[in-house]
């Protein structure tokens, strides 16, 4: 991991003397470069916050959506399948634009760009979370349901006290991987003006006219962020396996 970080940092430096790249606009050794770096990095907290909030909300929605799939009622099962298939079929970018621009026209209800971005990310991700929960719950042996029933517990108490604690342990690695996915897809919220990493880069390109350097740095920002998160997700997975 350390060697990879050094390689990532060394890559742009090797191009400092070329005609194509001019890294002085992002150099911390001068006032302009330092200001530009601070401006680009100021979107990091927004990216992380939106991603964390969206994944938390999507987990709750996903669990609610997954519950009808456990029922023997075909109508409830079809409702679950319909929600998952429809939401997964809608591109996230289209969903963001529709919630921000289309929803106010249809219903008169409007949200700020920040809230619209979170709603769109949460809804889009909830379909994947629903499938994760469904698979996790179905992976629990039927004998666990029978054991809870023999204790006189109803369906929801068996689910809450017996099944979910075991299922959550199985699906935590998958949820961690989905968080990495949400981090990457959160870049799309920049289209409605949210000041995340991508939006900050776009704004700086307009003022400096140096898209190659700035978007290269943006790639490095996301790459390092994703690698750090992925590292902790893998570490968490190994710890769960040991337990």
């Amino acid at each position: 991991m350390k060697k990879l970080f050094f390689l990532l940092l060394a890559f742009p430096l090797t191009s400092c003397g070329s005609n194509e790249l001019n890294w002085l606009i992002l150099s911390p050794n001068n006032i302009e470069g330092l200001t530009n770096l601070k401006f680009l990095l100021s979107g990091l907290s927004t990216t992380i916050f939106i991603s964390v909030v969206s994944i938390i909300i999507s987990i709750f929605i996903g669990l609610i959506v997954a519950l009808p799939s456990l029922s023997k009622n075909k109508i409830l099962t079809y409702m679950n399948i319909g929600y998952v298939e429809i939401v997964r079929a809608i591109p996230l970018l289209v969903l963001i634009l529709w919630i921000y621009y289309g929803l106010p026209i249809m219903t008169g209800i409007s949200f700020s760009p920040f809230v619209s971005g979170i709603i769109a990310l949460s809804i889009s991700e909830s379909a994947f979370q629903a499938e994760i929960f469904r698979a996790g719950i179905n992976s629990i042996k039927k004998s666990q349901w029978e054991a809870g029933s023999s204790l006189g517990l109803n369906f929801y108490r068996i689910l809450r006290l017996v099944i979910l604690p075991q299922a959550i342990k199985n699906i935590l690695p998958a949820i961690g991987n989905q968080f990495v996915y949400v981090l990457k897809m959160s870049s799309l919220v920049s289209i409605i003006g949210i000041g995340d990493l991508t939006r900050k880069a776009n704004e700086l390109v307009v003022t400096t006219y140096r898209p190659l350097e700035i978007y290269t740095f943006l790639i490095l920002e996301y790459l390092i962020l994703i690698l750090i998160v992925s590292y902790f997700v893998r570490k968490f997975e190994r710890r769960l396996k040991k337990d």
Side-chain angles (χ1 to χ4, degrees), residues 125-179:
E125 177 60 21
S126 66
F128 297 95
Q129 294 294 337
E131 287 296 276
I132 291 173
F133 272 106
R134 183 186 63 80
I137 292 173
N138 288 335
S139 68
I140 305 302
K141 295 180 180 179
K142 291 184 179 180
S143 59
Q144 297 295 309
W145 290 93
E146 295 170 355
S149 180
S150 65
L151 294 174
L153 302 177
N154 59 31
F155 174 83
Y156 292 103
R157 295 194 69 184
I158 295 174
L159 185 66
R160 180 169 61 89
L161 300 176
V162 181
I163 304 302
L164 277 182
Q166 299 178 67
I168 288 176
K169 184 177 179 181
N170 293 337
I171 66 177
L172 278 177
I175 292 177
N177 290 328
Q178 283 301 119
F179 178 59

Side-chain angles (χ1 to χ4, degrees), residues 18-226:
S18 66
N19 295 324
E20 291 80 10
L21 294 176
N22 177 19
W23 289 100
L24 290 177
I25 64 167
L26 295 175
S27 173
N29 296 325
N30 60 77
I31 296 177
E32 180 187 4
L34 185 60
T35 302
N36 291 338
L37 281 175
K38 289 181 179 179
F39 182 77
L40 287 173
L41 292 173
S42 65
L44 180 61
S45 59
T46 301
T47 293
I48 294 175
F49 182 78
I50 286 179
S51 301
V52 171
V53 172
S54 297
I55 195 71
I56 291 174
I57 295 175
S58 68
I59 287 172
F60 285 104
I61 298 176
L63 176 58
I64 294 172
V65 173
L67 292 180
S69 66
L70 305 177
S71 173
K72 295 180 179 180
N73 189 315
K74 290 186 177 180
I75 296 177
L76 293 177
T77 302
Y78 289 145
M79 287 175 60
N80 167 267
I81 296 173
Y83 178 90
V84 171
E85 294 301 325
I86 290 172
V87 172
R88 289 198 303 187
I90 300 174
L92 178 56
L93 179 59
V94 175
L95 186 60
I96 292 172
L97 293 172
W98 187 85
I99 290 175
Y100 185 63
Y101 294 109
L103 191 61
I105 297 174
M106 290 188 62
T107 64
I109 301 174
S110 60
F111 298 102
S112 67
F114 194 81
V115 175
S116 298
I118 290 177
I119 292 174
L121 277 170
S122 301
I123 292 175
S124 180
E125 177 60 21
S126 66
F128 297 95
Q129 294 294 337
E131 287 296 276
I132 291 173
F133 272 106
R134 183 186 63 80
I137 292 173
N138 288 335
S139 68
I140 305 302
K141 295 180 180 179
K142 291 184 179 180
S143 59
Q144 297 295 309
W145 290 93
E146 295 170 355
S149 180
S150 65
L151 294 174
L153 302 177
N154 59 31
F155 174 83
Y156 292 103
R157 295 194 69 184
I158 295 174
L159 185 66
R160 180 169 61 89
L161 300 176
V162 181
I163 304 302
L164 277 182
Q166 299 178 67
I168 288 176
K169 184 177 179 181
N170 293 337
I171 66 177
L172 278 177
I175 292 177
N177 290 328
Q178 283 301 119
F179 178 59
V180 174
Y181 173 78
V182 171
L183 272 173
K184 293 189 293 184
M185 299 307 292
S186 67
S187 61
L188 295 177
V189 301
S190 63
I191 196 69
I192 55 175
I194 297 178
D196 68 328
L197 289 172
T198 304
R199 181 70 180 189
K200 295 295 183 181
N202 290 336
E203 292 176 359
L204 195 57
V205 167
V206 173
T207 59
T208 62
Y209 302 102
R210 302 298 303 186
L212 183 56
E213 293 86 347
I214 293 170
Y215 287 135
T216 301
F217 186 80
L218 178 63
I219 289 175
L220 293 175
E221 284 183 300
Y222 274 108
L223 187 57
I224 292 173
L225 178 61
I226 296 301

